[in-house]
Amino acid sequence: MPSDTAPNRLDEMVRSPFARLALLLEGLTPGAPAIDLSLGEPKALIPSFLGPTLQEHLSEFGRYPPIKGIPVLRQAIADWIGRRYPLLKGRVDAESHVLPLSGSREGLFSGIFPALARKPKEEPPVVLIPNPFYQAYGAAAAAAGATPVLLPSTAEGGFLPELEAIDEALLARTVAFYLCTPSNPQGAVADRSYLARAVALARRFDFLLFADECYSEIYAATPPPGTLETAYGETASLANVVAFQSLSKRSGLPGLRSGFVAGDPGFVAAFGRFRNVACPQMPLPIQHVSAKAWADERHVAEGRALYRQNFAIADALLEGRYGYRQPQGSFFLWLNMAAFGGGEEAAKTLWKGCGVRVLPGTYLAQAEPDGVNPGTDYIRVALVHNADTTREALTRIVSILG
Ligand SMILES: Cc1ncc(COP(=O)(O)O)c(C=O)c1O
């Protein structure tokens, strides 16, 4: 059963996994030159064709940017959505369906406020969050004074929340449901049937489905289905659904801080008004660079090929070990360390033994009502380096753990 945690536990909901990892490893000497596989930060690709655009628009750093984004950026985003999801071609309106974000994280956080204001709900309002989860969701719920309800997302359920297990009384109080597909940390992809059921719940109980799809372009062969196209396919409308996207993973540009939210036009309008007084605008030169990046797929395909190489290395080295399986999407491995004392012990062992830094899964999840944290047994391993570094790191892991 989902667990209903007390509202306003801000401190508990904003414990950075990376700060906790730094504490865990404090004072321990790495056994070899460090390789960091803890952070989901693409390392190997910077799309250099974007440089001239930045240079061309440099002087526009001298102007305050419009929060709604310049038309050329909003149109590039709408066009990208139409190319990626053919059902939506020509059906996403750059003016009313799209808002740029300064990275998707700030939108995933600040979007909770208009979601909360959108419709009076029975008190206290609920925010549904998968467990484990990207930490911004929990911070948003707690900061907005809503009750975060954690939905178990374990191996038995294909690492996605079991929709049918959510209590109707909770759904009636729900203002937003964060659904991450492909999921961080497990790399699970929600199929069309799952997405359609999630959309139907959002519409029946009139809440917002916040689809976090920032890993959607990192896959082996089949592009993951999109929540917006599924919603549109059901009813020819984007009501109750928004998708959050980012150039951080797709284009290997985490430092650009560029993403967008698209979907339900009522929500997008309200979020735009809220953002206009409360949220960061994207600098104009970055808007131009972003428009160019959304318009190009070549560098994205090159990035995917690099991740495929990394997964081929992982297949060769890890098959049959630590519950390894290739994720359906994203660049993360979610490895079971129960045999090595759990994720925290394994992280220390690997750091001390071979200088490889991995993230204990327990830092990405919270305890269920039975006291069990579903991430306890796991480590998250980000395959974001080039093939040589990846091979070196995974070889070291196997040499230490066996
Ligand atoms: C699941 C998930 N959502 C959102 C983000 C935020 O990405 P950005 O703010 O760089 O767009 C991340 C970053 O790691 C993530 O893992």
Side-chain angles (χ1 to χ4, degrees), residues 103-105 108 134 137 180 184 212 214-215 246 248-249 257:
S104 61
R105 182 170 88 165
L108 287 161
Y134 180 58
Y137 314 157
C180 190
N184 173 4
D212 182 353
C214 68
Y215 293 100
S246 171
S248 299
K249 323 292 177 178
R257 311 311 304 132

Side-chain angles (χ1 to χ4, degrees), residues 111-343:
I112 201 68
F113 297 99
L116 198 63
R118 183 179 153 270
K119 186 166 180 289
K121 288 274 182 181
E122 286 174 51
E123 290 295 314
V126 160
V127 175
L128 301 177
I129 297 175
N131 195 27
F133 58 99
Y134 180 58
Q135 299 299 296
Y137 314 157
T147 302
V149 172
L150 303 177
L151 308 173
S153 311
T154 55
E156 298 73 53
F159 292 117
L160 292 169
E162 196 186 331
L163 299 176
E164 285 67 28
I166 310 170
D167 191 280
E168 293 211 352
L170 282 179
L171 288 164
R173 287 163 47 199
T174 297
V175 294
F177 176 3
Y178 287 94
L179 178 65
C180 190
T181 176
S183 69
N184 173 4
Q186 315 96 323
V189 166
D191 64 18
R192 276 182 215 286
S193 140
Y194 186 99
L195 292 176
R197 286 182 286 129
V199 170
L201 279 184
R203 289 175 172 168
R204 178 166 157 224
F205 292 94
D206 197 13
F207 59 79
L208 277 157
L209 184 58
F210 279 178
D212 182 353
E213 299 184 348
C214 68
Y215 293 100
S216 68
E217 305 316 288
I218 299 168
Y219 53 82
T222 314
T227 312
L228 292 184
E229 63 168 350
T230 304
Y232 193 88
E234 296 288 307
T235 59
S237 134
L238 297 178
N240 296 86
V241 180
V242 286
F244 291 84
Q245 262 296 354
S246 171
L247 291 175
S248 299
K249 323 292 177 178
R250 172 192 181 267
S251 295
L253 290 167
L256 193 69
R257 311 311 304 132
S258 179
F260 71 80
V261 62
D264 184 311
F267 174 77
V268 166
F271 197 15
R273 291 191 294 274
F274 177 75
R275 295 182 62 72
N276 206 18
V277 295
C279 298
Q281 308 96 315
M282 190 190 298
L284 278 164
I286 303 301
Q287 295 198 35
H288 287 283
V289 166
S290 302
K292 278 276 190 305
W294 286 114
D296 182 79
E297 287 303 325
R298 207 162 76 172
H299 73 287
V300 185
E302 285 167 6
R304 253 194 311 276
L306 182 141
Y307 295 123
R308 282 313 101 212
Q309 253 185 307
N310 285 349
F311 279 112
I313 293 165
D315 282 352
L317 291 170
L318 304 184
E319 199 64 66
R321 293 180 157 95
Y322 331 130
Y324 168 79
R325 59 184 173 90
Q326 255 203 37
Q328 293 168 283
S330 88
F331 41 54
F332 295 119
L333 306 181
W334 188 237
L335 301 179
N336 193 311
M337 294 286 119
F340 307 97

